[in-house]
Amino acid sequence: MSGKKIKHRIGWLVLCLLPIFGQAQVAIHGKVSAEGEPLGGVRIDLRFAADSRMLTYTFSDGQGNYRLQTTQSGKFILQFKSLGAEPLSLTIAPAQADTLIDVQMRPGGVQRLQEVIVHAKQPYRNGRDTIELAVNSFLQGDERNVEDLLRKIPGINVGTDGSIKIGNKEVEKVMVEGDDFFEKGYRLLTQNMSVQPLEKIQVLQRYSNNKQLKGIENSDKVALNLQLKADSKNQWLGSVGLQGSPIGPKYYQASANLMNFGKRNKYYLLASANNNGYDAVSSINYLIQSGSANEPGQIGMDISTPTLIDNTPNLPNFDYRRTNFNNDKLISLNTILNPTSAFKIKWIGFANPTKKSFYRNTVQEYNLEDIQFTITEDYAFARKIDNYFTKLELQYEPSPHTTLNYTGTLGSLNSNELGTLLFNNITSLETTKNKGYLTNHNLTYSYKLSERKALVSSIRFINQQSPVDYSINQYYYQDLFGPDSVSGVQQHIDNNLRYLGATTHYISRQQNGNFFELGLSSTYQQQKLNTQLRLLPGPETEHKTVAYPPEYANEMTLRLFQTNLISKYTVKQRNWEVTPRLQLSMVYSRLINFEEQKRKNNLQLSPGLSAKWAIHYKGRLETDLFFQQQNTKLTDLIPNYYTTGVRNFIKGMDNIATLSSSGGTLLYTYGNMSDRFFANIQIGHQILFDYIGTENDLHPNFNLMQQRLLQDKTLSYAKAELNYFVKSLNGNLRLDVGFNTVDYENMVVGLGRRQIRTNRYDYGLSFRSSWKSYFNMYTGYSLQTNSYRMEGETNTLTNGQAFLNLFLRFGDNLQFSLKNESYRFGAMPQQKAQTYYFSDFSVFYDLKKYKTRFDITAKNIFNTRSFRNALLTDISRSTTEYRLLPRYISVGIDYNF
C-alpha cells in the first residue's frame, strides 16, 4: 500500500473520530403531587439558570409522572405551573445522566379563568420520542390515499416506489392504532387506505419492533402510527371508488376498502382493479421479507434466490405509470385477532393476477477505439403475473417478560413473458417463464431478564425455488457457435435455495446509559444453480440433433456454513456516546460444478466504530468507521456462461474469494421535522480492496461478459437535504444537493484494462405552500449530471425535471388540481436534448353530508405519446424511446362509509 494512501486513510480516521469527544444526554424525571395525590396536567419547563432561556418542556401524566431530556449541562431552572396550584421553581445542577426529582405543589394560584383566548391548533406536537402531526393541517382535498397525504408533509420523503423516509432513515412499518399488518410492505396500506378516518400521524423515533427490548436496545429506527378519529374506531368503515373513461380510450380504476380497527381485533380487506398504469402491489419482495436487519435476535432477512433474467424496464426519474400498459387485479384479506390478552394472531393474504405491457425502441452505440458499431432493438413486451402469498404470525406472552413469536410465509410467484423483438433488423419472439415457490419460517423467543437486560433467540428456515425457461426463435450467434443451421435457442435454469439459521443475542443497558450486546449465530446455506443452453436444429437440418455447447452449461452447488460472534459496547458520557463493535466469522465454503470441487475455509474479521455527539441543543453529529470482510455471492462464482437476454452472456470468476472493504461516514443533523429549519448533511468514503469487475468481449450481436476479481475501487459521496419554513411566504423551501464519484477499473477484450472515473451531481429545489386560502402550489426543479472519464476522454449526460402543481379550492365542496411536469432528457455531446411536457387536470366535488366525492380527471392533456431517455455507461451510450398511455378523460366517484 502506498504511503499516500496510508496518509489518506489515517486522515480520514482522525476526521471521523473527532465527534466522539463531547458530553451526553441528561434525563430529569419524577412525580408531581399535591396534598398527597398525584397531580396531572402540570406544565414543567426546563430553562438555563443564566438567562432563563427555554430548553424543553413537558406535562405530567394522569399519575403525576413526568420526564425531560436535555443535551446541555450546567445549572438549570425547573419550573412547575398548574391551574389551582402555586407555581414552583427549583434551581438544579444535575451531576448524573439520570436525575430523580419528586415535588409537592401547594394548592392556590388561579382558581377561575376570567378570559379564554383560543389559539390556532399547531400541526406538530413533540413528545419524548414521538412527533405528532395533525392530519387536517396538511389536507388540501385531492388526496386519494395515505401516501398522497404523506407526500405533503415536510420532512417525510416518499419515493417513486412508495418507500417512506424521514431524514435518511426508511420507516420500519406503518401501523394503525398501534398494530402493524405489513411490516416493510406498508405500501399495500399507504397506497390503498383512505385518509378520511385519520386524525393524527405519529412519528415514532427510537422505535423497537420487539416489545421486550423497548428501553433496552440501542435503536435508531423510525416507524409511523396512524391514529383514527374517535367515530372511526371499533366499527366497520371503508370506501368504494370507481373511475372510468366514457369517451376515447377505455381506462378504468376500481377499489374497495373495508376495515374495522378495534382495540382487540383489527380487520383490513381491500380489492382493486385497474388498467390505467397503477401497480396494485408495487413490490412483493417487501412483503416476503419479514423482520428488520441489525436488530437483536434477527437472522436471514436478506436471503433469497438471485434474479438472473429481468426484462423490467428501467425508468429513472420518471413516473412509471405513464408507460405501464397494465391490467391489475388485487384482493387482500388481513386480520389481527387477540383471543386473549396474552395471545395474538395476525394473518395476511393476497392474490394479484396482473398483465403488463411495455414498448420500447433502443439505439445503443459503442465507440471504443477500433470497436465501433451500433445495435438497434424494437421491443414489445407482455408479461402475465400470478402472485399468491399468505403470511401467518402467532405471538404468545406467557408472562409480562416473555414473548414467543412465530412467523410463517408461503408464496407462489409465477410469470410468463412474451416479447416481440426486432433486433438489428431481424424479427424474433422471446419467451421467459418463471415458476417460483417460497416458504419461510421464523421462531423467536424473547425473555426480559430485568428492566435493563434481555435475551433474544431465533431460528429461521427458508426453502425457495425459482426455475426459469428462456427461449428465442431466432439464431443471432453465428460468430459465436458457427454458421450451422439453427432455428432457435433455449435455456433452462434451476435456481434453488435452502437456508437454516439460528442466533442468540444478549443485550444489557446499564443505569448510566452504557449498552452491551453479544450475539452468536450459525447458518447453513445451500444454493443449486443448473443452466443449460440448447441450440435447436433448423427444419432443413438432416440430423435433428440438439446441440449443447459445453461452455454454456452449469451444474453447480454452493454450500456455505458460517458461525458469527458479534459484540458491541456503547459508552455514554454527557453529550456523546461511542460504540466499538466486532464481528468474527468462521466460514466454510464448498463449490461443486460437474463433480469438480473447490473449498475455502477462512476467518473473517469485521470491526467497526460509531459515535454520536450532541454538539448543541439542536445539532447532532454521527460518524461510523468500518472494516468489512464478506463472501462472494453465488452469481460471482458461476463457472460457465449463461444468457440473461437476447444479447448478453455472463459467467462468474469460478473461484471462491473473500472481499474486503473499509470506509467511513459523517452525518450532521440539525433539528427535526417539526422545526422551522431541518437539515441532514452526510459525507462518506469507501475503499473496496477487492471487488468484482467485468471483462467484456463486445460484438454487434452478442456480448460475452466475464466477472473478474479486481482491487482498489474507491467511492466518495456527499449529500444534503435542507428544509426551511419561510414565514414571509408561509411555505416550506427544500434544497437537495448531492455528489458521487467512483474510481475503478474494467476490462475490454482488445483494449485491456481501463481506468474509469464516474461523477454524478444532483441538484433539487422545491417549494410547497401552506396558505390558508383557496389557492396553494407545489413547484420545483431538479437536475442530474453524469459523467464518465476514461483515458483522457470525458462523456457527459445531463437530465432535468421541473414541475408546477396548482390547487384551488372554492368553498368546502369544490376543488381543482392541475399538475404540470416537464422532462429534459439526453443532453450529451453531439446529441440534442429532448423536452417533454405533461399535464393532468382534476376537479373534485364533495358532498360531505353523504360522504361522497365526484371527480373528473384528464390525464396527459398534451397527448404526448412517447418519450426518449438516454443512458451513459463506461462502454456505451444509448437512447431508449418508450410508448406512453394516451390522453384520456375519466369520471369517478368515491364513497366513504
Side-chain angles (χ1 to χ4, degrees), residues 310-316 320 323 358-360 381 383 880 882:
D310 188 3
N311 291 317
T312 304
N314 183 21
L315 299 170
Y320 75 94
T323 188
F358 297 98
Y359 306 88
R360 68 172 186 257
F381 166 77
R383 173 187 290 169
T880 302
Y882 296 91

Side-chain angles (χ1 to χ4, degrees), residues 84 88 155 320 346 374 478 518 645 676 682 809 860:
L88 178 64
Y320 75 94
K346 182 168 73 174
T374 300
Q478 289 85 354
L518 182 66
R676 183 180 176 188
Q682 186 174 13
R809 179 191 298 271
N860 193 6

Side-chain angles (χ1 to χ4, degrees), residues 111-129:
Q111 299 294 332
R112 189 187 333 178
L113 294 176
Q114 301 296 326
E115 183 180 10
V116 176
I117 300 176
V118 179
H119 294 278
K121 187 176 181 180
Q122 295 297 316
Y124 295 91
R125 180 182 175 186
N126 289 339
R128 180 189 173 193
D129 290 329

Side-chain angles (χ1 to χ4, degrees), residues 16-27:
C16 293
L17 284 173
L18 286 177
I20 67 173
F21 301 101
Q23 299 178 341
Q25 285 188 339
V26 174

Side-chain angles (χ1 to χ4, degrees), residues 15 37 47 129 155 177 210-211 284 394 539 736 745 854:
L15 175 64
E37 296 294 330
R47 300 175 179 271
D129 290 329
E177 291 294 324
N210 191 327
K211 176 183 176 181
I284 193 174
L394 305 175
D736 291 276
E745 285 185 338
F854 300 91

Side-chain angles (χ1 to χ4, degrees), residues 406 408-411 437-441 461-465 497:
Y406 164 78
T409 61
L410 182 65
Y437 165 82
L438 167 70
T439 181
N440 188 328
H441 303 272
F461 172 74
I462 301 174
N463 184 18
Q464 186 174 5
Q465 301 171 15
L497 163 71

Side-chain angles (χ1 to χ4, degrees), residues 193-194 196-198 228-229 231-239 257-261 267-269 851 896-897:
M193 183 178 176
S194 171
Q196 297 299 322
L198 298 187
L228 306 181
K229 299 173 184 175
D231 59 358
S232 297
K233 300 178 183 179
N234 297 306
Q235 62 176 312
W236 287 98
L237 57 108
S239 63
N257 289 261
L258 182 63
M259 60 197 81
N260 187 322
F261 299 110
Y267 306 91
Y268 183 51
L269 297 81
K851 298 182 179 180
N896 291 272
F897 56 89

Side-chain angles (χ1 to χ4, degrees), residues 22-28 46-49 51 53-56 68-76 92-97 99 573-576 613-620:
Q23 299 178 341
Q25 285 188 339
V26 174
I28 303 167
L46 185 67
R47 300 175 179 271
F48 266 125
D51 54 9
R53 177 161 53 92
M54 172 71 77
L55 291 176
T56 185
L68 294 164
Q69 281 189 315
T70 180
T71 57
Q72 304 297 321
S73 59
K75 288 187 177 182
F76 306 109
I92 61 174
Q96 297 181 349
T99 302
Q573 290 292 329
R574 291 286 183 180
N575 290 354
W576 61 266
W613 181 22
I615 55 179
H616 54 79
Y617 175 52
K618 290 189 176 183
R620 301 176 300 281

